[in-house]
DNA sequence: CCTCTTCGCTAAGTAAACCTAGCGATCGCT
DNA sequence: AGCGATCGCTAGGTTTACTTAGCGAAGAGG
């Protein structure tokens, strides 16, 4: 009975993603917090998955990281509609294929790199339970 | 200009949209509330723009209306980052950033490869650096 | 050694999201 | 006329998001 807590895992994944993006941009916790107009302790708690941030905060964090809101929301498990079962594992592949800024050689090698990363090492996603519509 | 309150207008627009969708589906307040696992008074307040619903509630309401969350957020004007009006190569970047099958270092290096291809000039502020894997 | 700064985190409080209980109005039915 | 069911909303309390104040560790100089 005392089973898993998928929402907590989702929160932790979101937090780790934010933290990795922040470090990649070489920002301190206080720095990003100031950019996003949130307090640094709260941002710390978000990054450790202790709280579920609101849409407003999520948007502000995305702005502070120069990311789109869709990216963060998707990472937060928000995207993915009940009537649109586009669960294709290759949304990235489609984006690469449709990207008009890539030359054909570049497109091919980028696709090759991506496939070498994900090809057979399909990381097990946290259990996503769908109540059948 | 100082008199406007854009956040409240957004909330009201979102609420009116939810209400119109609910009536179009011929659902009562209590009905949709039960589908979305929220209380009916709270749903009433959301529809009148008195509260900003959390991500969890937003997702549940979208599910109860058989809508995608993007539709709800887009209608509310919550999508579209203020710092990222770019429509071009960001689509691929977003896909890479949101890809759940990539590890963080894989994500970073794939992103670096892509950016080197499109020779993207990033904003002057954040230092963008890729630690070599 | 000591001081100054910056890092991330904890503790305790305030503000807001969210729920349960219940009210007045409107409908159909006998 | 009533009674009962259902509509949306208000009033109050509980839970959670979010803030301000401050602690201890780690590095840079004196």
């Amino acid at each position: 009975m005392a089973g898993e807590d998928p929402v907590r895992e989702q929160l932790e994944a979101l937090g780790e993603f934010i933290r990795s993006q922040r470090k990649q941009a070489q920002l301190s916790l206080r720095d990003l917090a100031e950019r996003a107009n949130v307090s640094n302790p709260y941002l710390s708690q978000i990054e450790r998955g202790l709280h579920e941030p609101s849409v407003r905060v999520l948007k502000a964090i995305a702005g502070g990281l120069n990311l789109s809101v869709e990216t963060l929301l998707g990472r937060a498990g928000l995207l993915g509609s009940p009537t649109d079962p586009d669960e294709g594992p290759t949304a990235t592949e489609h984006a690469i294929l449709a990207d008009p800024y890539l030359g054909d050689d570049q497109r091919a090698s980028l696709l090759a790199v991506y496939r070498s990363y994900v090809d057979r090492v399909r990381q097990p996603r946290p259990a996503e339970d769908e109540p059948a519509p």
Side-chain angles (χ1 to χ4, degrees), chain A:
Chain A
M1 295 320 235
E4 281 297 317
D5 199 345
V7 47
R8 190 163 200 98
E9 291 182 6
Q10 187 73 277
L11 280 182
E12 288 180 3
L14 171 66
E16 288 175 12
F17 176 69
I18 291 177
R19 174 157 291 189
S20 74
Q21 290 297 308
R22 175 175 63 81
K23 299 214 161 178
Q24 195 172 326
Q26 308 209 23
L27 293 172
S28 77
L29 241 168
R30 282 181 165 86
D31 231 1
L32 177 57
E34 183 160 355
R35 283 196 187 190
N37 284 317
V38 296
S39 65
N40 48 88
Y42 185 52
L43 181 57
S44 168
Q45 289 169 337
I46 289 175
E47 287 187 348
R48 281 176 294 151
L50 301 182
H51 286 300
E52 174 184 348
S54 69
V55 178
R56 175 176 49 98
V57 169
L58 223 39
K59 189 178 177 181
I61 291 177
L65 285 172
N66 289 321
L67 295 176
S68 77
V69 191
E70 291 95 321
T71 301
L72 271 195
L73 290 177
R75 201 67 188 183
L78 178 51
L79 301 183
S81 59
T83 58
D84 184 47
D86 181 17
E87 276 202 342
T90 54
T92 300
E93 285 185 342
H94 286 124
I96 293 175
L97 287 170
D99 196 314
Y101 294 85
L102 289 173
D104 282 343
D105 297 343
Q106 293 172 339
R107 193 192 318 282
S109 47
L110 191 63
L111 213 51
V113 172
Y114 173 70
R115 284 176 175 152
S116 75
Y117 284 163
V118 301
D119 197 6
R120 62 204 115 133
V121 205
R122 219 140 249 190
Q123 315 220 343
R125 304 214 340 181
E128 186 157 356
D129 223 342
E130 282 296 319

